Amino acid sequence: MTISREELEGRVARLRGAMQSQGLDALVVYSDEYRTGNTTYLTNYKPINVIEESPQVVLLVEDRPPVVLIGRLNSFAAKAKTWVQDVRPIHRAGEYLPDLLAPLSGRQARVGLIGENLMPLSFFEHLRQALPGAEFPRAGDLMVQLRQIKSPAEIALMERAADINDLALHEVLKRIRVGQTEIAVAGEGEYVTRKMGADFGSATVIMSGPNTDYPAWRPSLRALQPGDFVLVDLNACYEHYCNDGGITILLPGARPEQAQALQTAHRVLKEVVPALRPNIKADSVYALLLSKLQAAGYAEAFVPYARGLRGVGHGVGLDVVEPPNLGPESDFILVPGMALAVKLDLHGLPGGGLRVEVVVAITETGIRPLNKLVLQEPDDFTILK
């Protein structure tokens, strides 16, 4: 199960067509080791993070074949694994770019940049030196438009990643114990994920007790205590495609109000997710969650953490977090082919905070849950006694 060469070539062709329709002579697509999606989308190669060797660049110049510039250590595998024929080490970009961009030399070329927010100044200086008279407009929207609609092959890989993520979360639920450290809990989930053939799209988040007051936290040596909320956010990645599923476990010895909050979160998410469908406004996800949490008395624990970037969810695909974002200001329409993480965060509760998160695909008639564990289990399944 993988992405076919035909699909990869089609992606490049569509991107080149969008480039030309915007009056661009070339595109430079840049990714780094943490946000690899834009270039992996075109090459089906994901560089391994070995520090300075991790960037990947795809260069499209007019109608010429694509060129990949990549870290020297990654370049050996990339030449063997990617369908792109021309793969070169990025540390020699200053030497290669004048020749690669020569067809545009001597005129007012327009070279669109995708991933310019990740691009080092040193690489941009190589571009400017190769084409001193060129314009370099931002062109990231071209890639967003392509990537936010997933193909059947992409959805299949994402569902496999979700199945593995669900299994890892279920195993953590069985193995977690008072006295374990947050790092040990992370190890339980990561072991199962690796054993099932998956990689990770981002760092594992394990937060317990007072650490659940934070929206994000690096697993620490803190030992789990009776009555702790333990937030487990795993991001399994299968054949480069990611999942972003999470649960919150309540350890024995908790107060009744902690159990009530967690059960309410599960109930609300299970009511909102099936209501999603194509052709509704994206901000309705926030509105639905808010209305149900207001009725249950949890609005104050929800609103401060549901505004801004990734408010109540986001796109998922080759990156764990992709555009578009879901929140009260989201102004797009849900359409078939989108894959979205929907998350419910409550913080400032007695005992800390919690998160429940699932990924769904928008279909022609409604949704296809990719994560199934939370949606199928009883509302109290993560409450340990």
Side-chain angles (χ1 to χ4, degrees), residues 306-323:
R307 293 186 174 275
L309 195 65
R310 313 180 199 172
V312 294
H314 50 81
V316 184
L318 284 164
D319 295 306
V320 173
V321 177
E322 300 181 352

Side-chain angles (χ1 to χ4, degrees), residues 143-342:
M143 187 65 83
V144 170
Q145 292 166 12
L146 287 180
R147 288 181 59 192
Q148 70 179 349
I149 306 301
K150 270 58 178 184
S151 70
E154 290 179 289
I155 295 295
L157 291 170
M158 292 183 66
E159 187 160 33
R160 178 59 179 154
D163 289 343
I164 293 172
N165 218 67
D166 281 352
L167 178 61
L169 291 172
H170 189 259
E171 288 298 311
V172 168
L173 187 61
K174 291 195 299 185
R175 300 178 188 186
I176 194 168
R177 297 289 185 273
V178 169
Q180 281 181 312
T181 63
E182 291 176 337
I183 287 177
V185 177
E188 298 283 10
E190 291 175 358
Y191 168 75
V192 175
T193 303
R194 295 283 192 192
K195 187 178 179 181
M196 296 299 295
D199 196 355
F200 291 93
S202 67
T204 300
V205 175
I206 306 292
M207 305 186 285
S208 66
N211 297 335
T212 61
D213 284 327
Y214 311 126
W217 179 254
R218 184 179 295 276
S220 73
L221 291 174
R222 181 186 183 273
L224 308 187
Q225 301 299 311
D228 273 353
F229 282 127
V230 185
L231 194 157
V232 183
D233 193 336
L234 284 172
N235 308 124
C237 179
Y238 187 79
E239 288 293 316
H240 312 322
Y241 280 86
C242 299
N243 184 246
D244 190 7
I247 59 173
T248 299
I249 300 168
L250 187 55
L251 295 181
R255 288 171 281 180
E257 55 265 39
Q258 291 176 272
Q260 181 181 8
L262 188 50
Q263 287 178 273
T264 300
H266 284 149
R267 173 179 58 79
V268 167
L269 195 69
K270 287 194 282 190
E271 290 172 353
V272 169
V273 166
L276 305 186
R277 61 188 185 278
N279 303 317
I280 66 171
K281 294 179 63 178
D283 60 5
S284 66
V285 181
Y286 171 85
L288 280 168
L289 287 168
L290 178 59
S291 66
K292 292 181 180 296
L293 291 167
Q294 281 176 325
Y298 291 99
E300 291 185 5
F302 171 71
V303 171
Y305 304 94
R307 293 186 174 275
L309 195 65
R310 313 180 199 172
V312 294
H314 50 81
V316 184
L318 284 164
D319 295 306
V320 173
V321 177
E322 300 181 352
N325 286 302
L326 290 175
E329 288 87 32
S330 298
D331 60 356
F332 63 95
I333 302 296
L334 302 189
V335 297
M338 285 183 171
L340 302 169
V342 181

Side-chain angles (χ1 to χ4, degrees), residues 350-368:
L354 63 88
R355 175 180 302 147
V356 187
E357 187 169 15
V358 299
V359 178
V360 302
I362 306 299
T363 68
E364 296 289 342
T365 57
I367 59 109
R368 173 180 172 182

